[in-house]
Amino acid sequence: MEELKNEALAQIAQATTTAALKEVEVHWLGKKGLITERLKTLGTLAPEERKNAGRDLNILKNEIQTAIAERTVTVAASEIQQQAASLFIDTSMPGIRARSGHLHPLTMVTEQVVDVFERMGFFTLDYPEAESEFFNFDGLNIPSDHPARDTQDTFYLTDGNLLRTHTSPGQVRAMREFAPPFKAIFPGRVFRCEATDACHEHTFNQVEGIMIDRSVSVANLISSMMTLLSGVFGRQVVVRLRPGFFPFVEPGFELDIQCMVCGGSGCPVCKRSGWVELMPCGLIHPNVIRAGGLDPAEWEGWAFGLGLSRLVMMRYEIDDIRWLMSGDLRFVRQF
Ligand code: DAH
């Protein structure tokens, strides 16, 4: 008995995990454990011996049980401590800086333009990039023999529609959609099938703006555009107005801005002229008012088409339009 007891207690003392203790328990007290087996053989002993052996075995069984229970408390506590230590997070360690994203310069300038116009009472509209010939051309008083319809300039879609070559189709759409008087802008991407260079890209951005009222003035048109430009550039910019021809306006103008990349001395962006065409504009042609479902005897309007990509280039002094669509992170991360 004494030997058995010492052996059991030694095993219990040596066990350093709760799993090991469980094994010791099974070894001694399990269904086929050493003590259990011995208790089963009591019946084969003589009655006198049986009594003593039974008592001693039960005392030993209790002692082993108690020892295991006590040891389990100690071992479990140290196991929990170890686990906690391995989970410890040192909150004083320097963190890993997450690289935050930001808006593309085109998006930033678009939002700025939208903001300036919305403060002047314009609302912002979004019209389809895949457009019909009617809205892109006919409705804008661009007859079918106009060079702008040349397949060189326009991407035609297989379903008979085309990719809009400018944001002007929104003029006719807006007049059909809203009751005048109103003023609205429609920013968006436009597409032209042309060779690319520092100032030409097949996909670029424009913002179209129109104001429809019973009587509108060129003075109001120009003052709206000056407000826009000083809003975007944060200072007065140098502009000039020239006559310009567009089938959908009469009279038509070209508003040029002095090149802000070279300051007017000449560079690839301004084709070495010192000026960049930024905003063609004019009073809406009566045929266009009519295409919009309004009576030109009753309603007038002005419109402008702002080259957003050019504006972004001027604003951030970008010398090649192709950077804008390049997807090059070295470019985008500079803003
Ligand atoms: N849609 C013309 C273009 O992309 C630009 C334009 C000219 C828009 C005169 C206008 C305008 O609204 O009045 O070339």
Side-chain angles (χ1 to χ4, degrees), residues 136 140 142 165-169 171 186 190 192 204 206-210 221 244-254 277-285 302-307:
N136 197 79
L140 289 167
I142 303 176
T165 58
H166 50 182
T167 42
S168 303
Q171 293 187 24
F186 1 108
V190 302
R192 288 192 199 167
F204 53 103
Q206 293 184 335
V207 182
E208 193 88 7
I210 64 169
L221 163 62
F245 173 76
F246 302 93
F248 35 95
V249 282
E250 180 57 40
F253 308 101
E254 282 285 3
E277 287 180 17
L278 200 60
M279 281 207 264
C281 53
L283 298 185
I284 300 174
H285 196 286
W302 55 247
F304 66 84
L306 167 64

Side-chain angles (χ1 to χ4, degrees), residues 127-249:
Y127 285 125
E129 293 178 342
E131 191 46 284
S132 70
E133 280 208 51
F134 175 79
F135 285 115
N136 197 79
F137 293 130
D138 302 77
L140 289 167
N141 197 33
I142 303 176
S144 47
D145 56 357
H146 194 280
R149 290 215 181 185
D150 198 309
T151 46
Q152 292 296 308
D153 297 320
T154 309
F155 289 111
Y156 285 94
L157 302 175
T158 49
D159 64 1
N161 287 324
L162 46 81
L163 292 182
R164 64 178 177 196
T165 58
H166 50 182
T167 42
S168 303
Q171 293 187 24
V172 182
R173 284 182 176 272
M175 278 187 268
R176 291 183 174 205
E177 197 175 337
F178 299 97
F182 68 87
K183 37 191 181 178
I185 56 168
F186 1 108
R189 292 197 302 174
V190 302
F191 310 87
R192 288 192 199 167
C193 181
E194 57 185 12
T196 59
D197 59 32
C199 38
H200 294 92
E201 176 64 291
H202 51 72
T203 302
F204 53 103
N205 292 61
Q206 293 184 335
V207 182
E208 193 88 7
I210 64 169
M211 171 165 158
I212 304 286
D213 211 330
R214 294 196 186 275
S215 152
V216 302
S217 72
V218 174
N220 180 244
L221 163 62
I222 292 167
S223 92
S224 298
M225 303 212 285
M226 296 303 290
T227 308
L228 164 75
L229 291 174
S230 53
V232 170
F233 289 98
R235 62 192 152 107
Q236 211 60 34
V237 295
V238 184
V239 299
R240 72 178 184 189
L241 203 62
R242 291 178 287 127
F245 173 76
F246 302 93
F248 35 95
V249 282

